[in-house]
Amino acid sequence: MKGFRFTKFSPQKDPDKNTFEQLLDIFLQLVTMTGGDVAEALSWLTNLDKRYQMTNPGYGIGDFIEDLKSKGYLDEKQGKGEFKITGKSEQTIRKSALEEIFGKLKKGKGGQHKTTHTGPGEERGTDRRPFQFGDNLDQIALTDSLRNAQINHGFSWDYLLTEDDLEVVESEVRTQTSTVLMIDISHSMILYGEDRITPAKKVAMALAELIKTRYPKDTLDVIVFGNDAWQIAIKDLPYLQVGPYHTNTVAGLELAMDLLRRRKNPNKQIFMITDGKPTCLKVGIKYYKNSFGIDSKILKETLKLAAQCRRLKIPVTTFMIASDPYLKEFVKEFTTVNNGNAYYSNLKGLGHLIFEDYRRNRTKRL
């Protein structure tokens, strides 16, 4: 429990939620903080209940645990008393993170990204144009075509509708995007008792859920990076924990670019969640490390990859989970070289991200 303090916690009662739903919200937050350790999360929840009286004589933590099992949120190993969260819990955690971070986004028809191109697409647009040979019949704007016939030929018993009267509705071309999500799991994400990995996981889960639900035809690969970089499954996001690692941003970018190279989509992008500067570089079979400030050797290699991504038209959007000015300097320089975007967030207000668009030199709060 080192590094976590509950004295500032002040749970607010939601009149639209029953006791189980209110406890479930808190429990899923705790599971995220403990990296999927259900026993530790339930222990913390019991301590919180003791301090803030979140339950009542008719419904206790024991009842809540039974409901978790009966409703499919927990799976108990028979005879061992060990719990683990289920796929339903994992998805609920991602949805909760999505609502917390991108709750202001309006719901839309999911699946694909709009482009500025028109033609044989999958969704009807608003633009009209004259009929051309080869257009599908279902594209014809019947009302507009009949109006044109009346204007061109007038009213008569012998109603005339010619090819020149027909108008069609342009359909919008939709495109797919391949995304790689990079997550920093270096030791600095919990350094000095400051928990940065929990908000990082929330951002990662929100992005993953956003892409899976609103853009299901997109591809999404998730990687983590410390001294090295490796790929993980989306379902493993709640279980992420930091290690005794430095921050090898170069390894993460190299793996991300390698994954994107295999994707055939023309649109590719990288989302990077980090708390700042790179501190590690692999040279041959050895690791070059320097945690004291921004090392020029490491920085040079990192910026080289940022520029390479820019040449390949792969924008990198950085989610900065820290507020230290000197840590932001690296993100700013990296994003400028890549011509990408950056979001900044402190640890208390993930729902209030600061977005910097370096291509338009604009800053706004979300």
Side-chain angles (χ1 to χ4, degrees), residues 95-364:
K95 287 182 177 179
S96 176
L98 174 62
E99 179 62 29
E100 179 181 352
I101 295 172
F102 297 113
K104 297 179 182 179
L105 288 177
K106 294 181 180 179
K107 291 183 179 179
K109 293 182 179 179
Q112 302 164 62
H113 308 272
K114 290 184 178 180
T115 71
T116 57
H117 306 290
T118 58
E122 298 181 3
E123 185 168 319
R124 289 172 68 87
T126 58
D127 295 335
R128 302 287 193 272
R129 63 169 174 79
F131 177 85
Q132 297 175 354
F133 179 77
D135 287 334
N136 294 325
L137 294 179
D138 59 3
Q139 288 182 259
I140 295 176
L142 184 59
T143 302
D144 295 321
S145 299
L146 292 175
R147 185 188 65 243
N148 293 338
Q150 293 172 356
I151 293 173
N152 296 335
H153 311 295
F155 292 94
S156 65
W157 292 105
D158 185 16
Y159 189 82
L160 188 61
L161 177 67
T162 68
E163 181 179 334
D164 293 334
D165 301 324
L166 297 179
E167 283 191 16
V168 298
V169 181
E170 283 281 25
S171 55
E172 295 178 348
V173 176
R174 298 276 178 149
T175 186
Q176 297 177 351
T177 301
S178 292
T179 302
V180 171
L181 178 58
M182 293 173 50
I183 308 168
D184 184 352
I185 57 168
S186 63
H187 182 65
S188 63
M189 298 290 276
I190 56 166
L191 201 59
Y192 309 121
E194 189 173 60
D195 177 24
R196 295 172 178 171
I197 189 61
T198 297
K201 285 193 288 186
K202 287 184 179 181
V203 171
M205 290 185 290
L207 288 170
E209 191 66 14
L210 179 68
I211 292 171
K212 284 172 62 67
T213 54
R214 291 193 61 179
Y215 308 106
K217 292 187 178 181
D218 285 7
T219 64
L220 174 63
D221 297 292
V222 183
I223 64 176
V224 294
F225 62 103
N227 290 349
D228 297 289
W230 59 95
Q231 190 172 5
I232 66 168
I234 294 175
K235 67 180 183 64
D236 293 330
L237 285 172
Y239 308 101
L240 282 185
Q241 296 188 27
V242 301
Y245 308 126
H246 286 69
T247 308
N248 192 343
T249 309
V250 168
L253 289 171
E254 287 177 339
L255 178 56
M257 293 171 67
D258 184 54
L259 290 172
L260 289 175
R261 197 175 293 115
R262 305 174 194 174
R263 299 297 184 182
K264 303 305 179 183
N265 292 336
N267 304 295
K268 302 175 182 181
Q269 63 182 350
I270 297 172
F271 288 157
M272 180 170 67
I273 303 173
T274 183
D275 64 345
K277 61 186 177 69
T279 60
C280 178
L281 191 66
K282 194 168 186 179
V283 182
I285 61 173
K286 296 183 178 180
Y287 295 96
Y288 173 85
K289 304 173 184 177
N290 184 3
S291 302
F292 302 97
I294 299 179
D295 186 282
S296 59
K297 180 177 180 179
I298 299 175
L299 179 63
K300 181 180 178 181
E301 292 301 315
T302 308
L303 295 181
K304 185 187 299 183
L305 284 180
Q308 185 176 345
C309 286
R310 180 176 180 174
R311 289 192 298 271
L312 295 174
K313 297 182 179 181
I314 302 176
V316 181
T317 298
T318 304
F319 289 80
M320 174 66 171
I321 310 294
S323 56
D324 312 61
Y326 87 98
L327 292 177
K328 288 183 178 180
E329 283 302 312
F330 159 71
V331 174
K332 187 172 184 178
E333 187 172 2
F334 177 88
T335 310
T336 302
V337 171
N338 175 256
N339 197 32
N341 300 314
Y343 288 86
Y344 296 93
S345 174
N346 58 35
L347 302 182
K348 295 181 181 179
L350 279 181
H352 302 281
L353 295 167
I354 298 175
F355 174 63
E356 285 199 11
D357 189 337
Y358 286 86
R359 286 170 291 188
R360 296 179 177 86
N361 194 26
R362 285 192 294 184
T363 300
K364 65 179 179 180

Side-chain angles (χ1 to χ4, degrees), residues 52-84:
Y52 298 105
Q53 292 78 51
M54 296 181 295
T55 60
N56 55 67
Y59 190 88
I61 297 298
D63 298 312
F64 173 66
I65 295 174
E66 290 301 315
D67 281 347
L68 286 175
K69 292 190 291 184
S70 64
K71 294 178 184 295
Y73 290 97
L74 282 187
D75 184 26
E76 182 179 12
K77 289 185 178 181
Q78 295 294 332
K80 294 186 178 181
E82 297 178 3
F83 295 105
K84 67 175 183 178

